[in-house]
Amino acid sequence: MPLCNVTDMPTSVMVFYYEKFTVRLSMRKTQMNPPNGGCASPTKWTTWSSINWEKVARAVKSLQRRIVKAVKAKHFHKVKVLMHLLTQSYYGKMLAILRVTTNKGSRTCGVDKVLWDTPHRKWKGIEQLNVKGYKAKALKRKSIKKKNGKFRHLGIPTIRDRAIQALYKLALEPIAETTADPNSYGFRPKRSCADAIAQCHTALSQRNSAEWILEADIKGCFDNISHNWVLQHIPLSKKVLTQWLKAGYMENKHWFPTESGTPQGGIISPTIANMVLDGLEEAINLHARRRPNSNPLKINFVRYADDCAPRATPMVGVDAMMMMEEGPPNSVCRN
């Protein structure tokens, strides 16, 4: 069959094909650039009270699911891109401000004595969550007396620094939850102290359960976390992490540097501490030769933040405690 030359085609047919091609091209452009699409799309909201929080939470949750899928597939470049998209998103910034202004510490100010306690200030705070040229301010030191007579030192960031930490926590938490130890229960979403107690009961209620319960507490865990390890292994912007870790603290109107540790008053600090300690359970199970369907040495491990409770037979219990002192592989809690 001879090919048809374009010049031989009737004008009506050429117009028809041109219109069909134009329609398809416009449909492709519409699909690539949907109106109000994506997590960082512009909205018609003009005040804090007019925000649709269900839509905001749904958009952020959608990006977090994509981060989890990318981590499981080991597509780490895609993880980095999605984390950047979330930390720059309009919805992420609004949700971060909502979290720091509705928790128990929302009425505690930092060294700048600024609070976002009105809808107008919260709305204006969205514009302040720009990390370009970001410099964290020093922490406000506050000491709380413990039952044993010692003091727990809290480092309280400013409200803006807390909001930026909450924003980056939205991006870091999906990674931390995907790679976390199975029996870690402290400072994790959908987990509580009651879940840790239930896991302890499950491990101890069997006929052939372990004979020893060993309780371990990492001394000054938050205060002694290595900054170098955090900068090398926590998948966040190195510039932002450095600002948080090296901000120092103010006490009696004097500035003091911070050479190690993460502030206990920071929103993202528990997540970072959990990621530092993740791998401890795997190291103990590997040392005890435990498998999914085999536990000959009766090793069970439960961790709530920096409090650990290995269960084992007498001789194995001593080895487990030695493993606890050595720490998990590829991470250190001491400089």
Side-chain angles (χ1 to χ4, degrees), residues 227-242:
H227 285 180
N228 292 332
W229 192 95
V230 171
L231 292 172
Q232 291 176 10
H233 296 87
I234 302 300
L236 286 180
S237 169
K238 301 295 183 289
K239 292 182 179 179
V240 177
L241 269 176
T242 303

Side-chain angles (χ1 to χ4, degrees), residues 262-277:
T262 58
Q264 291 197 42
I267 291 179
I268 203 171
S269 295
T271 304
I272 293 177
N274 269 333
M275 295 185 74
V276 171
L277 296 174

Side-chain angles (χ1 to χ4, degrees), residues 99-129:
R99 291 190 174 182
V100 300
T101 55
T102 55
N103 59 15
K104 293 182 180 180
S106 60
R107 296 188 176 275
T108 304
C109 61
V111 293
D112 59 355
K113 299 181 180 180
V114 174
L115 289 177
W116 293 345
D117 51 359
T118 63
H120 178 73
R121 290 179 180 177
K122 296 174 186 177
W123 182 256
K124 290 297 182 181
I126 300 175
E127 302 173 358
Q128 300 181 33
L129 300 191

Side-chain angles (χ1 to χ4, degrees), residues 204-216:
L204 296 170
S205 60
Q206 307 298 324
R207 282 188 176 182
N208 297 324
S209 296
E211 300 175 15
W212 281 30
I213 301 176
L214 307 176
E215 183 182 0

Side-chain angles (χ1 to χ4, degrees), residues 141 146 151-155 218-227 258-265 273 306 333-335:
R141 193 69 175 269
K146 298 192 291 187
F151 288 90
R152 175 181 285 112
H153 302 292
L154 302 181
I218 300 175
K219 185 177 180 180
C221 179
F222 280 87
D223 298 330
N224 296 309
I225 292 176
S226 171
H227 285 180
T258 49
E259 300 298 335
S260 64
T262 58
Q264 291 197 42
D306 59 337
C333 290
R334 301 176 180 85
N335 280 326

Side-chain angles (χ1 to χ4, degrees), residues 181-185 191 195-196 199-200 203-204 210 212-218 277-286 288 290 295 298-312 320-321 323-325 327-328:
D181 285 344
N183 290 307
S184 168
Y185 296 93
R191 295 198 176 199
D195 297 318
Q199 179 60 27
C200 292
L204 296 170
W212 281 30
I213 301 176
L214 307 176
E215 183 182 0
D217 183 18
I218 300 175
L277 296 174
D278 284 336
L280 187 58
E281 181 177 357
E282 182 182 357
I284 290 179
N285 290 339
L286 184 64
R290 178 175 178 174
N295 188 13
K298 303 177 183 179
I299 285 286
N300 292 283
F301 181 83
V302 178
R303 179 170 65 85
Y304 190 92
D306 59 337
D307 296 313
C308 314
R311 293 153 186 81
M321 290 303 296
M323 287 290 298
M324 292 288 297
E325 292 180 358

